[in-house]
């Protein structure tokens, strides 16, 4: 018997001589600090299609994040550059070539450079919209769920009223109020980010409020009150920590909505000016007339960029949603579970099925299958 089995036997734990699989499983399941991080943790437990969706989404999101970070090194030209180093103007609507690998637009901008710089604008818009939405929605959800009463009723009514506004319409109104239709980089990002913040605060608010209402009468909350914990400590230390399980799913949905809203504003002419930053929606708006003339390169690359980044964020969100729901989470096969019933059963290779055992009739000499052990003879039935 090994040392591990001897130690377990000394504590009264049932063991199988020479079987160290349970101890190996315990050692393999010990995770480091990085293994407990949200995305890393989901990657460890995901299997099948869920893992494929999560990995694909993370690759797409990571790719655009790297492009946004290293845009000055990747893009050969600036987002508003229309002349080369010698001062010669770029040709307009030029087909892909060695100088401009994805061609140029009607304004003389390099399509490849505009697409690369547009990734940075998209990432900044996501960060602004998501951070503002989480901060306000989570705070209001904690206050409403914990205190209840008239505060809860007023906040719920306001959240329902705000949620009825279309996000794109609200984004257009805020863009007009903030920048009068056309804006620079930060004004355009904040107009789209704040519009998404206002619309998606109710989602965070309702999610956190429902969890707080469910948990505020729990035993551990009552214990915290008994020992004299302050209201702020209960809300932030106990309730907040245990009510944010579904936030990553909502976060990914809002991130994809931020991209689409920003692109919608640019396409409708209420987005960022081309000399202030590169934005995919504006480039699509300027390429509408090009498509009818057979100039496809000005529209295909910004459009594909929007589709890929939204697809990546959506795949991550869908996989996280499945993994957070035990009913949708894929389990491992029973054969991979240590300590299952087959470990304590008789080895099936050493036994023969009763239905497969044959015997020879002494009267006729014919080989027949033996009856099962629980078969009742006809003569016994009477």
């Amino acid at each position: 018997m090994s040392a591990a089995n001897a130690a377990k036997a000394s504590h009264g734990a049932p063991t199988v001589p020479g079987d160290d699989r349970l101890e190996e499983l315990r050692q393999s399941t010990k995770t480091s600090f990085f293994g407990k991080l949200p995305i890393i943790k989901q990657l460890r437990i995901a299997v099948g299609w869920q893992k494929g969706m999560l990995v694909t989404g993370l690759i797409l999101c990571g790719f655009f994040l790297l492009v946004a970070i290293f845009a000055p090194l990747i893009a050969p030209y600036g987002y508003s550059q229309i002349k080369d180093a010698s001062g010669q103007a770029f040709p307009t609507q030029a087909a892909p070539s060695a100088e401009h690998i994805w061609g140029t637009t009607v304004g003389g901008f390099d399509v490849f450079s505009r697409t690369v710089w547009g990734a940075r604008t998209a990432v900044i818009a996501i960060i602004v919209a998501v951070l503002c939405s989480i901060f306000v929605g989570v705070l209001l959800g904690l206050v409403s769920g914990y205190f209840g009463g008239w505060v809860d009723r007023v906040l719920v009514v306001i959240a329902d009223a705000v949620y009825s506004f279309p996000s794109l319409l609200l984004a257009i109104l805020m863009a007009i109020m903030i920048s009068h239709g056309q804006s620079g980089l930060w004004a355009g990002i904040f107009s789209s980010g704040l519009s998404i913040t206002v619309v998606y605060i109710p989602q965070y608010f309702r999610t956190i409020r429902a969890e707080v209402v469910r948990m505020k009468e729990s035993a551990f909350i009552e214990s915290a009150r008994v020992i004299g914990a302050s209201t702020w400590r209960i809300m932030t230390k106990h309730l907040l920590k245990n009510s944010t399980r579904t936030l990553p799913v909502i976060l990914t949905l809002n991130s994809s909505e931020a991209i689409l809203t920003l692109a919608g504003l640019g396409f409708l002419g209420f987005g960022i000016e081309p000399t202030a930053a590169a934005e995919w929606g504006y480039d699509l708006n300027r390429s509408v007339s090009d498509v009818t003339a057979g100039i496809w390169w000005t529209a295909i690359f910004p459009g594909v960029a929007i589709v890929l980044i939204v697809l990546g964020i959506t795949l991550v969100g869908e996989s996280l949603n499945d993994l957070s729901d035990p009913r949708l989470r894929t389990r491992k096969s029973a054969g991979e579970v240590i300590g299952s019933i087959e470990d304590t059963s008789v080895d099936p290779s050493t036994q023969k099925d009763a239905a497969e055992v044959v015997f020879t009739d002494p009267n006729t000499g014919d080989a027949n299958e033996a009856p099962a052990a629980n078969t009742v003879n006809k003569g016994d039935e009477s």
Side-chain angles (χ1 to χ4, degrees), residues 57-99:
L58 289 176
I59 291 175
L60 290 174
C61 294
F63 170 76
F64 280 99
L65 182 60
L66 291 176
V67 170
I69 295 174
F70 299 103
L73 302 178
I74 299 174
Y77 307 105
Y79 54 80
S80 60
Q81 184 175 348
I82 57 175
K83 296 181 180 180
D84 56 17
S86 61
Q88 184 178 0
F90 295 153
T92 60
Q93 298 178 323
S97 60
E99 292 77 13

Side-chain angles (χ1 to χ4, degrees), residues 91-238:
T92 60
Q93 298 178 323
S97 60
E99 292 77 13
H100 306 281
I101 57 175
W102 287 357
T104 59
T105 66
V106 65
F109 300 116
D110 182 69
V111 176
F112 177 73
S113 300
R114 292 280 300 180
T115 305
V116 170
W117 283 101
R120 172 172 289 189
T121 306
V123 170
I124 296 175
I126 290 175
I127 294 174
V128 171
V130 168
L131 289 182
C132 294
S133 300
I134 287 181
F135 179 78
V136 179
V138 170
L139 179 61
L140 293 179
L142 283 173
V143 173
S144 178
Y146 185 78
F147 291 102
W150 66 270
V151 175
D152 181 49
R153 291 193 293 271
V154 170
L155 290 177
V156 168
V157 171
I158 294 176
D160 291 341
V162 171
Y163 194 68
S164 63
F165 283 91
S167 59
L168 185 58
L169 177 60
L170 184 58
I172 294 174
L173 293 177
M174 295 198 67
I176 295 174
M177 293 173 58
I178 294 174
S179 57
H180 304 289
Q182 286 290 333
S183 59
L185 172 61
W186 290 108
I189 288 176
F190 274 109
S191 62
S192 61
L194 291 177
S195 65
I196 298 169
T197 297
V198 173
V199 172
Y200 281 91
I201 280 175
Q203 288 193 5
Y204 294 102
F205 167 78
R206 284 189 166 275
T207 301
I208 299 300
R209 175 186 173 276
E211 292 292 329
V212 171
V213 169
R214 181 181 63 85
M215 292 187 301
K216 70 177 182 179
E217 302 300 334
S218 301
F220 72 97
I221 299 297
E222 294 295 336
S223 301
R225 294 195 186 102
V226 169
I227 64 176
S230 63
T231 300
W232 178 254
R233 180 175 177 83
I234 292 175
M235 292 173 60
T236 57
K237 182 69 176 179
H238 301 289

Side-chain angles (χ1 to χ4, degrees), residues 165-330:
F165 283 91
S167 59
L168 185 58
L169 177 60
L170 184 58
I172 294 174
L173 293 177
M174 295 198 67
I176 295 174
M177 293 173 58
I178 294 174
S179 57
H180 304 289
Q182 286 290 333
S183 59
L185 172 61
W186 290 108
I189 288 176
F190 274 109
S191 62
S192 61
L194 291 177
S195 65
I196 298 169
T197 297
V198 173
V199 172
Y200 281 91
I201 280 175
Q203 288 193 5
Y204 294 102
F205 167 78
R206 284 189 166 275
T207 301
I208 299 300
R209 175 186 173 276
E211 292 292 329
V212 171
V213 169
R214 181 181 63 85
M215 292 187 301
K216 70 177 182 179
E217 302 300 334
S218 301
F220 72 97
I221 299 297
E222 294 295 336
S223 301
R225 294 195 186 102
V226 169
I227 64 176
S230 63
T231 300
W232 178 254
R233 180 175 177 83
I234 292 175
M235 292 173 60
T236 57
K237 182 69 176 179
H238 301 289
L239 292 176
L240 177 62
K241 185 178 180 180
N242 292 279
S243 60
T244 57
R245 295 175 300 171
T246 58
L247 286 187
V249 179
I250 305 177
L251 184 147
T252 54
L253 295 176
N254 288 357
S255 299
S256 60
E257 184 68 21
I259 297 296
L260 295 176
T261 302
L262 184 64
L265 286 173
F267 186 82
L268 295 175
F270 297 98
I272 304 172
E273 295 180 352
T275 56
E279 201 277 307
W280 295 330
Y282 174 85
D283 294 338
L284 287 177
N285 173 270
R286 301 294 293 173
S287 64
V288 171
S289 58
D290 296 341
V291 174
T292 58
I295 303 174
W296 53 270
W297 54 86
T298 58
I300 190 67
F301 297 110
V304 169
I306 295 175
V307 171
L308 289 180
I309 191 171
V310 173
L311 176 63
I313 297 173
T314 304
L315 288 177
V316 173
E318 289 297 325
S319 57
L320 292 179
N321 182 39
D322 291 351
L323 293 172
S324 64
D325 191 344
R327 297 170 299 178
L328 301 176
R329 189 184 304 151
T330 303

